[in-house]
Amino acid sequence: MLYDRRDFGLLRLAGAYQWLPLAPLRALSPLKQLSWEAGLLSLMGLLTFSRNGEYLSLSPEGYQLLSTFDLRFQPPAKRPYSNSPTLRRRLEVGSILFTCLSAGIEPALDKVERLKHQPVFLPAFTLRTGDGNLMNAAGCAGFGHWGNTAYMVLYVSEHSTGFFMNNELSHLHNLSSIFSERLDTPQALILAGENYQAIYKILTRTTPSERNGKKGYVDYSQAYPRLGIPACLLSCDDTGALQLAIMRQTDYRPRIAQAAFGARWKAEDDRLPEADGHVDGNPLVIAVDMDLRRLDRICWDARQQGRKEILVAALEGQMSGLLLDYFPRDIPVRPLRINARVLSVAFGGECILGDPWPEEPLRRKGGLAHV
């Protein structure tokens, strides 16, 4: 039997991460072909689907096949209960993993040193295995490195309404030497979830949870307004995948502004230094990264200055998914959709979501496995 790069990549992910969620695999556009191949690999006995259709995992035959490539993953000691916190966290991390993969961000399979090579996403549970637990009970989903920024990724939901704030942020700080030897890599948070509305609902809760304030645990609604680093919302769907594909490009904000407005765009607004310049005297905000706190600051400062109109550019799924309801009614915001033409001019083909594993030969013991 011959295997292509897509088959091999899916088997390797299942071996490294275990219990990959089926919902995003079937829903994310660039992964739909991968979903079809998962079914084929299941018929071949290399992958198994859970009875409830929540996740897939590697079969004993799949582990044996990977061992012929000198990839020796350890199967889990037991299957998780359907509603267990362990399974839920793994499925949440898997949703982030597939969103990153759809965006062209490589999953790191083993060592933390892989974070040096962007774009890459490293699930936190890979740091909790073996003799040295580097995470010290932290609950973040993982770490990313793309667009010359170091990210800590957290999953926000009704089951995950807060985090051990100081402990978790210290892990991002302690990994600074991994991201860059000069220790100057900008740091930010990614607050991921099922969709933008669901994330924002948790961030704006007015009633603290029972855990808030106990043993360093802080609700996201309490932590979000006072974070000292940027925090970007991420929907684990096609819009979120496109968002990450853009964010992994260098200087994505000025490139989008230049592509959309040409000579009308001026790179700096002297009265609003946080804005992405101005167009015909109106401040511009490229909000594709969904850093809502930055958007708030610019909009409120612009209103204080009596600016007539504030241009806010984002993806269609971000506008309809949250922003159109988010804009304050008393601030003159003009929403602008970033379309495929603008992305093509700004980034060429870099932000077209395509095959996460391009075809190339695979070397194994005794020869090649390829199409």
Side-chain angles (χ1 to χ4, degrees), residues 41 66 81 125 163 167 189 270 287 290 311 314-315 348 354-355 370:
L41 291 170
L66 290 180
Y81 293 109
F125 61 74
F163 67 135
N167 185 30
L189 298 184
D270 294 337
M290 293 297 283
L311 309 180
L315 301 172
D355 187 349
H370 57 82

Side-chain angles (χ1 to χ4, degrees), residues 12 52 84 114 149 152 164 186 217 245 262 371:
R12 185 175 56 175
N52 59 10
S84 68
R114 291 287 298 279
T149 299
M152 182 170 71
F164 293 95
Y217 187 89
V371 182

Side-chain angles (χ1 to χ4, degrees), residues 183-201:
L183 306 181
D184 60 354
T185 302
Q187 299 177 358
L189 298 184
I190 296 285
L191 302 176
E194 184 178 358
N195 55 63
Y196 296 113
Q197 285 281 6
I199 302 167
Y200 188 66
K201 180 181 178 181

Side-chain angles (χ1 to χ4, degrees), residues 8-20 47 56-59 62-63 66 71-76 90 93 97 107-111 114 121-127 129 357:
F8 183 77
L10 182 56
L11 291 172
R12 185 175 56 175
L13 281 179
Y17 297 139
Q18 304 163 6
W19 313 319
L20 294 175
L47 290 176
L56 63 84
S57 57
L58 206 61
S59 70
Y63 283 105
L66 290 180
L71 293 173
R72 305 191 183 280
F73 299 110
Q74 295 298 321
R90 281 298 180 100
V93 174
L97 175 72
L109 295 173
D110 41 34
K111 300 179 180 180
R114 291 287 298 279
F121 172 72
L122 177 69
F125 61 74
T126 62
L127 305 179
T129 58
W357 283 300

Side-chain angles (χ1 to χ4, degrees), residues 255-272:
R255 290 167 71 178
I256 290 174
Q258 178 67 49
F261 297 103
R264 295 172 56 202
W265 171 67
K266 305 304 178 185
E268 295 182 3
D269 187 310
D270 294 337
R271 299 168 65 191
L272 288 172

Side-chain angles (χ1 to χ4, degrees), residues 50-272:
S50 64
R51 293 179 181 177
N52 59 10
E54 281 191 284
Y55 64 90
L56 63 84
S57 57
L58 206 61
S59 70
E61 292 79 8
Y63 283 105
Q64 183 177 3
L65 174 65
L66 290 180
S67 69
T68 66
F69 293 91
D70 289 327
L71 293 173
R72 305 191 183 280
F73 299 110
Q74 295 298 321
K78 60 181 179 179
R79 287 179 179 268
Y81 293 109
S82 179
N83 296 318
S84 68
T86 298
L87 177 59
R88 185 179 68 247
R89 286 193 294 269
R90 281 298 180 100
L91 297 181
E92 291 171 350
V93 174
S95 296
I96 296 170
L97 175 72
F98 280 140
T99 305
C100 289
L101 193 62
S102 296
I105 295 171
E106 177 187 359
L109 295 173
D110 41 34
K111 300 179 180 180
V112 69
E113 286 76 14
R114 291 287 298 279
L115 287 171
K116 288 184 182 295
H117 309 293
Q118 56 178 319
V120 65
F121 172 72
L122 177 69
F125 61 74
T126 62
L127 305 179
R128 299 189 184 102
T129 58
D131 296 331
N133 184 349
L134 302 181
M135 294 307 297
N136 189 25
C140 68
F143 300 91
H145 189 194
W146 54 80
N148 295 322
T149 299
Y151 292 98
M152 182 170 71
V153 187
L154 301 126
Y155 196 91
V156 179
S157 71
E158 292 290 340
H159 297 289
S160 306
T161 60
F163 67 135
F164 293 95
M165 181 175 173
N166 292 334
N167 185 30
E168 309 253 358
L169 292 177
S170 69
H171 288 301
L172 178 60
H173 178 73
N174 292 337
L175 287 173
S176 296
S177 60
I178 301 296
F179 292 108
S180 172
E181 294 179 356
R182 297 180 300 172
L183 306 181
D184 60 354
T185 302
Q187 299 177 358
L189 298 184
I190 296 285
L191 302 176
E194 184 178 358
N195 55 63
Y196 296 113
Q197 285 281 6
I199 302 167
Y200 188 66
K201 180 181 178 181
I202 301 298
L203 297 182
T204 54
R205 277 188 172 175
T206 56
T207 304
S209 71
E210 294 181 357
R211 296 185 66 188
N212 185 57
K214 296 180 180 179
K215 298 181 179 180
Y217 187 89
V218 183
D219 288 348
Y220 287 121
S221 59
Q222 304 292 314
Y224 180 67
R226 53 192 178 95
L227 288 169
I229 58 177
C232 304
L233 278 60
L234 175 70
S235 180
C236 291
D237 55 19
D238 282 341
T239 299
L242 183 54
Q243 173 186 338
L244 288 185
I246 295 170
M247 290 175 67
R248 69 182 176 86
Q249 311 300 321
T250 57
D251 301 322
Y252 59 87
R253 289 173 182 160
R255 290 167 71 178
I256 290 174
Q258 178 67 49
F261 297 103
R264 295 172 56 202
W265 171 67
K266 305 304 178 185
E268 295 182 3
D269 187 310
D270 294 337
R271 299 168 65 191
L272 288 172

